[in-house]
Amino acid sequence: MSKRVASKYKLNRRMGENLWGRPKSPVNRREYGPGQHGQRWRGKLSNFGVQLRAKQKLKGYYGNITERQFRSIYKEAARMRGDTSENLTELLERRLDAVVYRCKFVPTVFAARQFVNHGHVRVNGRRANIPSHRLRPGDVVEVRERSRVIPMVIQATESEEREIPDYLEVDGAKMQAKLVRRPEFAEIPYPVTMEPKLVVEFYSL
């Protein structure tokens, strides 16, 4: 279960942005922060503050990743060849719960984690219930047949709220998807501006 189910939209208001691009986000009506002191004037952020904010935004977007998990993913990205910021977003996007969300099998990243945890998803024909499971190009993800009639799933697949990125091939009728290739940062459809290079700077201090 998510640690942020009851307060996920507080992150939107704290960041001052509609992090997941949802129409019902309270930040659309109240652009100030949450809590008693949310409307106080905020001064200019320091460089560290800007980097911290970028990290909180990227980590928060994926819903249920703890600081320890996120730091571990960063360390793995830093060990890989190439640009660390590109590697970081690639590893995040290849998580099973992130792919289930991108394929529009569920309406939110929080629902994606729970959906995977409850065993509604198969990877390459086998049941998979670990949200952090990392997919490889060529892997096929599908919703179990008896789970395809869940109202939440039907509503999500029919929704036009989000777009499916080019690195995924999705068959909506079969509720099946394939990771065609490794995601590149420029093609990940974030509703807000993400700055993974600032995240790298934050952890490099």
Side-chain angles (χ1 to χ4, degrees):
M1 195 69 179
S2 167
K3 295 181 180 178
R4 196 177 286 123
V5 162
S7 60
K8 58 187 176 184
Y9 286 123
K10 282 187 179 179
L11 181 62
N12 272 358
R13 292 179 62 197
R14 192 174 298 120
M15 297 293 108
E17 297 180 79
N18 190 346
L19 203 56
W20 298 283
R22 304 218 72 200
K24 67 179 182 180
S25 173
V27 79
N28 296 336
R29 303 184 304 274
R30 293 169 290 179
E31 296 182 353
Y32 51 86
Q36 181 181 357
H37 305 292
Q39 298 187 56
R40 289 188 305 178
W41 177 81
R42 295 182 181 182
K44 185 178 179 181
L45 290 174
S46 64
N47 287 339
F48 175 79
V50 171
Q51 294 163 357
L52 175 61
R53 185 185 181 88
K55 188 267 292 185
Q56 289 175 323
K57 192 160 66 167
L58 185 62
K59 179 168 75 74
Y61 178 83
Y62 290 93
N64 302 279
I65 302 178
T66 64
E67 176 60 29
R68 183 177 180 180
Q69 289 173 320
F70 193 74
R71 183 183 289 269
S72 177
I73 295 171
Y74 163 75
K75 288 180 178 178
E76 183 176 353
R79 290 193 299 267
M80 294 167 62
R81 290 183 179 180
D83 186 278
T84 301
S85 62
E86 286 274 353
N87 295 339
L88 176 61
T89 53
E90 177 202 319
L91 293 177
L92 289 168
E93 280 294 304
R94 284 168 52 203
R95 286 173 55 99
L96 178 56
D97 55 355
V99 170
V100 167
Y101 172 64
R102 288 282 180 235
C103 294
K104 295 174 62 175
F105 295 150
V106 292
T108 68
V109 290
F110 302 93
R113 181 181 181 90
Q114 190 175 52
F115 196 67
V116 173
N117 266 331
H118 289 184
H120 295 295
V121 175
R122 295 183 185 276
V123 176
N124 298 329
R126 296 183 178 182
R127 183 182 178 187
N129 60 1
I130 301 175
S132 61
H133 174 79
R134 189 167 299 146
L135 300 177
R136 297 179 179 179
D139 283 351
V140 175
V141 178
E142 62 181 333
V143 177
R144 293 177 65 189
E145 188 170 352
R146 63 183 181 183
S147 302
R148 297 173 189 175
V149 296
I150 297 175
M152 175 189 71
V153 176
I154 296 173
Q155 184 178 2
T157 54
E158 294 177 350
S159 171
E160 297 181 1
E161 191 175 305
R162 292 179 283 120
E163 59 183 83
I164 298 173
D166 292 338
Y167 50 84
L168 292 169
E169 285 183 357
V170 179
D171 186 331
K174 295 181 179 179
M175 292 194 186
Q176 187 179 89
K178 179 180 180 180
L179 179 64
V180 180
R181 52 184 168 77
R182 297 176 185 272
E184 296 180 6
F185 174 66
E187 60 185 347
I188 300 174
Y190 293 119
V192 297
T193 301
M194 293 294 183
E195 300 172 291
K197 290 186 181 297
L198 292 179
V199 180
V200 173
E201 291 177 13
F202 174 84
Y203 284 118
S204 299
L205 293 176

